[in-house]
Amino acid sequence: MSYYLTTPIYYVNSTPHIGHAYTTIAADIFVRHHRQRGEDTFFLTGVDEHADKVARVATEQGLEPQEYVDQIVTAWKELPELVNASIDYFIRTTDEGHKTFVQDFLQRIYDNGDVYQDVYAGLYCVGCEAFKSDDELVDGKCPDHGVEPEWIEEKNWFFRLSAYQDKLLALYAERPDFVLPEFRANEARGFIAGGLRDFSISRATQTWGIPIPWDPVQVAYVWADALVNYVSALTYAPKAELGFWPGRHLLAKDILRFHCVYWPALLLSAGYEVPKQLFVHGYLNLEGRGISKSLGNVIDPRKLIDVYGVDPLRYWVARAAVFGQDADVSVESFQERYERELGNDLGNLVSRTTAMIAKYRDGRIPVAPGLGDQAAVERLATEVPRRLDDFDLTGAIELIWEFVRSLNKFVTDAKPWELAKDEANADELDRVLYALADGLRIAAITLQAYLPETAPKILAALGQPEDVSWDGVAYGKTVSGEPVVAAEPLFPRVEAPAAAA
Ligand code: MSP
């Protein structure tokens, strides 16, 4: 089994914010989970460098576009590192391997008869890097960027998207889960059914981009270059192979049309398989508004990580919104979940359990199965993977958290501190401590994809082997192991949450 997942490649006209971290973290959780299941995974992220808006920022800064992207790419390469995303390759669309592949890809479309020359005149939003029709504008402005589009008129090479309408409708009919969630598939299908207009895949007036192979005075339109990254990377990234294609794409609703309509059509034309699946998530808003540099309301993921650590940020990604929906987010709600769920539900449970094993049993976990909830463990073992296969990031963490809460209830009900008062209860105390240790070990393995720093700490605190493979999500596999000492708090109190805002 192989699992190939991508994030969008981000524009380098500014630096990363929490919205970009959101997608990258979510993608990493899926990939880590599939790795735990022993699958052959490949995880791709990177940057989209040939945009006109990138060239404009370079000019504003008095730099050549290449100089500019070479500088700013450092901030983007830090993003996956910062959020502990276990990527296999970071693609730049200025990579030689990518450029060659795009030229070959476009040539294939041309040779297939799907490209013709025409004059295009229309309103173009540089923020979207897309032409806009009148009905897409609000008061003459692009609603996403709040700016008036520019009039562009030039002779371009066009892709015959209209010729793919029936094929795309057939694809959506045959594969109801091609695009998830379902309401996004409906949106894409509706757009296709409404009639597709050919779009230009070249730019005559720009020089920053990949030359069109049959007409090198023009460069490729940024989307005809960027989308192709998902396949091009497999031809030259270390440890990649074309065998990973078709893969799965994660993206937000802002770029649905490009991914769910243009991209499959381009692939069909070039003679490649369409993606296996696309998941379109929602938008995070701050105080009811989108997050962007131009709105001046970005949260820098680095600041949250400095204050709370990386795992709390990752946990919040799974919790901030029902994955797929939009949500309003705030630093206050982040802090609240940090204290209540990570600090109390999980962190305290680990501290208490290890302290009791240290105190009552000299740090040796008594191997005395019998009291744990085997049915709940079996449910976790099958249901979490099922939900994550459906990209249900939130549903899976909810199940895991139900289990963590049930362990808290178990300890409150069983009162091991009372049992410890009377030697006659020694066997019962053994069983209670074992059930707790076993439950925590299982919780740690299920949480590994979400909390990759914390899960091994929990296993180590319990003196268990480091192995996080999914087979470990099984009842009664806890061993006596290394001696257990009372663990340090995993999620210490944070006094000044405002510092993160
Ligand atoms: N370069 C294109 C993508 C090309 S992919 C072949 C692009 N870049 S972008 O920098 O604008 O990134 C957009 C993506 O960033 C969204 O689809 C989403 O994954 C992520 N997000 C940016 N802001 C976000 C929010 N406020 N909320 C959720 N996701 C956000 O589009």
Side-chain angles (χ1 to χ4, degrees):
M1 275 275 261
S2 80
Y3 187 83
Y4 171 37
L5 187 67
T6 68
T7 72
I9 50 171
Y10 306 113
Y11 286 130
V12 293
N13 58 322
S14 70
T15 47
H17 63 61
I18 198 82
H20 308 112
Y22 183 71
T23 313
T24 299
I25 291 172
D28 187 56
I29 296 172
F30 296 119
V31 174
R32 283 184 189 265
H33 170 76
H34 281 273
R35 224 178 268 134
Q36 282 185 281
R37 282 156 62 178
E39 292 171 22
D40 194 11
T41 57
F42 199 82
F43 179 12
L44 182 71
T45 189
V47 284
D48 187 353
E49 302 185 282
H50 288 131
D52 187 29
K53 58 182 170 185
V54 170
R56 292 187 191 200
V57 175
T59 309
E60 279 166 22
Q61 299 190 5
L63 296 170
E64 286 301 317
Q66 189 67 51
E67 276 179 288
Y68 168 80
V69 296
D70 287 347
Q71 287 176 12
I72 199 159
V73 76
T74 321
W76 286 95
K77 282 190 164 168
E78 278 169 9
L79 175 66
E81 259 170 62
L82 194 67
V83 301
N84 204 358
S86 55
I87 61 167
D88 291 292
Y89 192 64
F90 184 96
I91 190 172
R92 298 182 58 181
T93 53
T94 51
D95 288 347
E96 280 310 317
H98 173 75
K99 292 197 246 178
T100 320
F101 189 88
V102 168
Q103 290 193 317
D104 175 68
F105 189 95
L106 295 177
Q107 187 68 51
R108 289 168 76 127
I109 291 174
Y110 183 81
D111 293 344
N112 194 15
D114 283 332
V115 174
Y116 62 92
Q117 207 166 26
D118 204 354
V119 175
Y120 195 83
L123 290 168
Y124 191 80
C125 170
V126 183
C128 295
E129 294 286 4
F131 282 103
K132 295 273 152 180
S133 56
D134 285 340
D135 57 1
E136 288 173 305
L137 303 175
V138 177
D139 296 332
K141 291 182 178 168
C142 163
D144 289 342
H145 293 91
V147 287
E148 281 180 18
E150 299 165 18
W151 186 257
I152 292 191
E153 186 168 347
E154 55 180 52
K155 199 172 193 184
N156 291 149
W157 293 100
F158 277 72
F159 172 64
R160 238 179 263 284
L161 182 65
S162 53
Y164 286 85
Q165 180 171 12
D166 291 344
K167 286 192 181 121
L168 290 175
L169 287 173
L171 170 68
Y172 276 79
E174 275 161 32
R175 290 169 50 182
D177 60 355
F178 178 57
V179 171
L180 291 175
E182 201 187 340
F183 75 102
R184 295 294 179 200
N186 292 339
E187 197 176 319
R189 200 189 300 107
F191 179 75
I192 299 164
L196 295 175
R197 282 167 60 185
D198 298 346
F199 68 95
S200 91
I201 53 165
S202 72
R203 289 291 178 268
T205 50
Q206 290 169 30
T207 51
W208 176 236
I210 302 175
I212 295 289
W214 61 89
D215 183 14
V217 296
Q218 297 210 32
V219 297
Y221 167 48
V222 64
W223 278 99
D225 156 349
L227 287 162
V228 182
N229 91 90
Y230 300 135
V231 184
S232 76
L234 298 179
T235 65
Y236 67 91
K239 296 199 195 126
E241 43 179 280
L242 258 181
F244 278 112
W245 189 254
R248 296 174 167 84
H249 305 309
L250 200 60
L251 54 135
K253 61 180 189 178
D254 55 335
I255 49 179
L256 174 144
R257 205 174 283 185
F258 297 105
H259 281 80
C260 302
V261 183
Y262 290 24
W263 178 225
L266 287 167
L267 283 162
L268 287 171
S269 172
Y272 289 93
E273 282 185 68
V274 299
K276 208 166 257 167
Q277 208 165 36
L278 301 107
F279 188 90
V280 184
H281 67 70
Y283 244 57
L284 300 181
N285 297 313
L286 282 173
E287 285 132 19
R289 303 195 309 161
I291 304 171
S292 81
K293 272 270 156 72
S294 48
L295 292 173
N297 66 344
V298 293
I299 295 182
D300 181 350
R302 193 185 303 267
K303 288 194 178 148
L304 286 172
I305 291 170
D306 284 348
V307 176
Y308 296 91
V310 67
D311 279 3
L313 177 65
R314 296 172 59 101
Y315 180 75
W316 172 81
V317 162
R319 288 294 206 181
V322 172
F323 197 59
Q325 310 282 335
D326 294 346
D328 247 314
V329 299
S330 69
V331 177
E332 289 70 31
S333 64
F334 184 112
Q335 161 84 10
E336 199 266 329
R337 277 201 187 274
Y338 174 84
E339 283 181 1
R340 181 163 50 87
E341 292 177 347
L342 292 178
N344 292 345
D345 295 347
L346 183 62
N348 282 352
L349 185 64
V350 173
S351 305
R352 289 166 88 189
T353 304
T354 51
M356 289 190 290
I357 294 168
K359 187 167 166 199
Y360 304 140
R361 291 294 179 264
D362 281 336
R364 308 298 298 180
I365 295 176
V367 178
L371 279 190
D373 186 347
Q374 186 164 357
V377 175
E378 283 164 5
R379 180 146 181 265
L380 275 186
T382 54
E383 191 63 13
V384 170
R386 208 187 59 70
R387 292 192 183 185
L388 290 176
D389 282 350
D390 289 343
F391 290 90
D392 186 3
L393 197 64
T394 321
I397 195 77
E398 261 164 23
L399 263 192
I400 300 171
W401 223 258
E402 257 174 42
F403 185 72
V404 170
R405 286 199 196 101
S406 74
L407 291 175
N408 277 293
K409 180 165 174 354
F410 174 77
V411 79
T412 315
D413 293 348
K415 299 192 179 57
W417 48 92
E418 295 286 336
L419 296 173
K421 287 180 186 159
D422 186 347
E423 197 46 35
N425 298 323
D427 287 352
E428 179 68 1
L429 180 59
D430 280 353
R431 282 194 292 272
V432 169
L433 294 177
Y434 186 82
L436 277 175
D438 198 43
L440 271 179
R441 177 191 61 81
I442 290 160
I445 298 174
T446 58
L447 283 168
Q448 200 272 342
Y450 292 87
L451 310 175
E453 278 186 357
T454 307
K457 282 191 200 162
I458 299 175
L459 293 176
L462 295 167
Q464 301 301 300
E466 275 174 32
D467 185 9
V468 291
S469 61
W470 197 257
D471 301 345
V473 185
Y475 180 75
K477 281 202 175 175
T478 299
V479 292
S480 197
E482 298 295 314
V484 174
V485 292
E488 294 294 315
L490 289 171
F491 303 102
R493 277 192 75 81
V494 168
E495 295 303 340

